[in-house]
Amino acid sequence: MDHYYKIKELLDVDSFPKEVALRGWVRTFRSNRFIALNDGSTIHNIQCVLDLETVSPEIPKKIATGAAIAIKGTLVESQGKGQKSEIQINSIDILGESNPEEYPIQPKKHSLEFLRENAHLRIRTSTFSAIMRVRSALSFAIHQYFQNNGFFYVNTPIITGTDAEGAGEMFQLTTLDLKNPPRNEDGSINYKEDFFGKATNLTVSGQLEAETYAMALGQVYTFGPTFRAENSNTSRHLSEFWMVEPEVAFNNLDANMDLAESFIKYVIQYVFDHCMDDLVFLENRLLEDEKQKPKEEKSPMPLIEKLSFVLDNNFKRVSYTEAIDILRDSKPNKSKKFNYIIDEWGGDLQSEHERYLVEKHFKSPVIVFDYPAKIKAFYMRLNDDQKTVRAMDILFPGIGEIVGGSQREERLDVLRQRVAAFNIDEKELFWYMDTRRFGTAVHSGFGLGFERLVLFVTGMSNIRDVIPFPRTPKNAEF
């Protein structure tokens, strides 16, 4: 059986000549001789040169962009500029032809909108292969960080009867006949006849279930799909996305902030160490795109500098109250340049406010903590002032919030009051309350939207471009 090399391996070879076999897809075919081949292992193509005297005249007719081919040949030092090596082809097999008249991913610049319409083929472009290699590396680094630090991986339910966030934006699951559902005497739908005997939904978060496991295993994390039925057709929203959610027994909010900062720096460093070719390509692509943009839409810094900004700076920690004071007194607020003017304590921070704190005021990543209780979830620990909760958000340049977390409310009596204040049926959360009845302890955790992280690390501007097949309102293709 032949050993087929990956292009990534061959580009590192220093001794020539070398007999090799490889397989991949044609990116370009020039002058009936020069094939730019890519197999997905690297952003780089390798040039393969046909000897027209030794191949059948039918072969060049079958080579076109998108075709899958297998090659045997000799790896030699390249005579051309821009590449260290090339392959002199001895034999070539066409594994799968591609019709150049119909193949949509031609070797030219395509709009991201066009590529979304061809999401099943966009991975054949340099941009999307780079994004997805970075996504894969980030995913591996997440697991590696937690596994190296004594965390246990927990698979929390995708089907749930609980709305962890209390926002009500959930996808309902049912096997009932939608044309003629069973009804109660008052005309309401009788969910006792449904598959699970109750109303169920796709989960918005694995946090509540993860908390129960943290109270026995100590340190756990989830990394799985979550769903929001929020009708937001924006560049920052997906209906199906992945969440990373660690939960740690005995951690207070300070320890939670330490964990989040350490974790984020680790996974970004991993991409620096393993995907630099892809990052350089993505940065150059962004620099080209930015030439067409007005100044106010340009990124605050080039991609690799932006990532270094996170790695090289300690995250500045500031209370919500202090952040509001800074924003209220800021030039853009006083001159009404903000779209959302800060005039009183208690409102949520918008992306423009978060970016001002990071990019202009502190010039470092920022963690804002102790938010007003009324704008945060029921499970966050109430502070002694009765107005704020032990919440924290991590803010990054160019994107604003990337992580949200809190110290969880471990006191049963206070949690009951919070649940009642949010009009949540305590009976539905009996199992969550039990963790406060039996061996309660201080504990904390946070959530990281994985696509938000990929968006930040790749420098892309639309979240639909950092997940293989985006699910958004009115769009469930592929």
Side-chain angles (χ1 to χ4, degrees), residues 256-417:
N256 199 36
M257 291 190 277
D258 291 342
L259 173 67
E261 181 171 346
S262 165
F263 162 69
I264 288 178
K265 286 182 172 179
Y266 180 92
V267 298
I268 292 177
Q269 185 63 54
Y270 185 90
V271 173
F272 259 44
D273 294 342
H274 294 86
C275 300
M276 187 51 75
D277 284 353
D278 290 313
L279 292 179
V280 168
F281 171 83
L282 290 167
E283 175 171 274
N284 289 336
R285 178 196 165 277
L286 288 167
L287 291 172
E288 279 300 309
D289 280 359
E290 299 233 313
K291 289 177 182 177
Q292 321 299 326
K293 290 182 180 179
K295 186 179 178 182
E296 62 273 11
E297 290 181 23
K298 292 187 177 182
S299 298
M301 53 190 87
L303 178 60
I304 292 170
E305 183 185 331
K306 182 182 74 172
L307 298 176
S308 298
F309 176 86
V310 172
L311 291 175
D312 298 341
N313 284 290
N314 293 324
F315 294 10
K316 174 66 179 175
R317 301 180 186 187
V318 56
S319 73
Y320 168 88
T321 300
E322 187 182 343
I324 287 293
D325 288 342
I326 291 167
L327 292 164
R328 190 190 287 125
D329 293 338
S330 68
K331 281 184 181 177
N333 197 62
K334 287 181 172 177
S335 60
K336 301 201 178 331
K337 293 274 178 64
F338 281 147
N339 293 319
Y340 297 88
I341 301 302
I342 299 281
D343 50 21
E344 60 183 32
W345 188 95
D348 215 347
L349 300 182
Q350 303 299 319
S351 181
E352 61 182 346
H353 306 137
E354 295 167 342
R355 290 186 59 184
Y356 175 83
L357 291 170
V358 172
E359 296 163 25
K360 304 294 185 188
H361 187 80
F362 290 112
K363 295 183 171 57
S364 73
V366 174
I367 309 180
V368 178
F369 62 91
D370 284 356
Y371 279 82
K374 68 179 181 180
I375 62 172
K376 289 296 183 180
F378 73 91
Y379 50 73
M380 298 185 177
R381 194 183 202 278
L382 193 63
N383 282 320
D384 293 342
D385 62 12
Q386 302 296 303
K387 292 194 309 179
T388 59
V389 288
R390 297 251 75 194
M392 64 100 170
D393 288 341
I394 298 182
L395 315 179
F396 272 11
I399 197 169
E401 182 198 338
I402 194 163
V403 163
S406 71
Q407 186 174 320
R408 314 311 190 188
E409 183 54 78
E410 86 282 9
R411 299 164 296 184
L412 179 60
D413 56 336
V414 181
L415 185 60
R416 274 184 167 149
Q417 292 167 17

Side-chain angles (χ1 to χ4, degrees), residues 75-293:
L75 184 74
V76 297
E77 198 163 1
S78 178
Q79 302 305 306
K81 291 183 178 178
Q83 63 218 14
K84 187 170 77 171
S85 57
E86 64 184 23
I87 295 172
Q88 301 289 346
I89 298 173
N90 299 329
S91 68
I92 181 169
D93 290 323
I94 311 298
L95 305 178
E97 292 184 43
S98 177
N99 185 338
E101 309 283 315
E102 297 176 1
Y103 183 58
I105 313 298
Q106 289 300 312
K108 63 177 185 178
K109 187 175 176 66
H110 294 285
S111 73
L112 294 173
E113 290 79 8
F114 171 81
L115 292 172
R116 278 177 220 131
E117 292 167 7
N118 292 275
H120 59 306
L121 295 171
R122 67 180 180 174
I123 190 62
R124 307 269 188 104
T125 66
S126 295
T127 296
F128 281 90
S129 64
I131 291 167
M132 294 306 161
R133 278 189 295 270
V134 170
R135 182 185 169 105
S136 175
L138 283 167
S139 180
F140 179 80
I142 286 165
H143 284 291
Q144 188 173 67
Y145 176 85
F146 286 124
Q147 294 291 329
N148 288 349
N149 285 280
F151 282 71
F152 299 100
Y153 180 37
V154 175
N155 302 116
T156 52
I158 291 172
I159 300 171
T160 179
T162 306
D163 183 356
E165 298 300 319
E169 294 158 341
M170 304 182 79
F171 288 102
Q172 189 172 345
L173 285 171
T174 184
T175 57
L176 296 177
D177 181 354
L178 297 182
K179 293 179 182 176
N180 186 29
R183 297 192 180 275
N184 298 312
E185 289 182 8
D186 63 1
S188 61
I189 293 174
N190 180 8
Y191 285 106
K192 289 182 179 177
E193 298 291 317
D194 208 348
F195 188 90
F196 291 107
K198 61 184 286 187
T200 53
N201 308 286
L202 295 177
T203 187
V204 298
S205 168
Q207 177 204 313
L208 302 189
E209 291 89 350
E211 281 186 55
T212 69
Y213 267 60
M215 298 311 284
L217 295 178
Q219 300 185 135
V220 302
Y221 71 104
T222 75
F223 186 3
T226 51
F227 308 85
R228 298 272 167 93
E230 184 180 356
N231 194 15
S232 293
N233 238 324
T234 77
S235 62
R236 294 295 172 88
H237 288 87
L238 290 168
S239 303
E240 175 186 281
F241 55 98
W242 289 66
M243 284 283 284
V244 181
E245 297 174 296
E247 291 291 329
V248 186
F250 315 118
N251 262 15
N252 62 15
L253 187 67
D254 289 331
N256 199 36
M257 291 190 277
D258 291 342
L259 173 67
E261 181 171 346
S262 165
F263 162 69
I264 288 178
K265 286 182 172 179
Y266 180 92
V267 298
I268 292 177
Q269 185 63 54
Y270 185 90
V271 173
F272 259 44
D273 294 342
H274 294 86
C275 300
M276 187 51 75
D277 284 353
D278 290 313
L279 292 179
V280 168
F281 171 83
L282 290 167
E283 175 171 274
N284 289 336
R285 178 196 165 277
L286 288 167
L287 291 172
E288 279 300 309
D289 280 359
E290 299 233 313
K291 289 177 182 177
Q292 321 299 326
K293 290 182 180 179

Side-chain angles (χ1 to χ4, degrees), residues 14-67:
D14 287 320
S15 57
F16 306 102
K18 184 181 179 71
E19 297 305 308
V20 297
L22 68 161
R23 297 170 289 198
W25 294 270
V26 175
R27 285 288 174 86
T28 60
F29 184 41
R30 295 184 295 110
S31 307
N32 261 12
R33 287 194 68 205
F34 301 104
I35 301 168
L37 195 69
N38 191 280
D39 63 3
S41 63
T42 170
I43 192 74
H44 302 294
N45 305 325
I46 195 164
Q47 179 165 284
C48 307
V49 185
L50 268 180
D51 183 346
L52 297 177
E53 295 181 4
T54 62
V55 298
S56 160
E58 294 303 307
I59 288 290
K61 296 176 186 177
K62 296 180 179 180
I63 300 171
T65 298

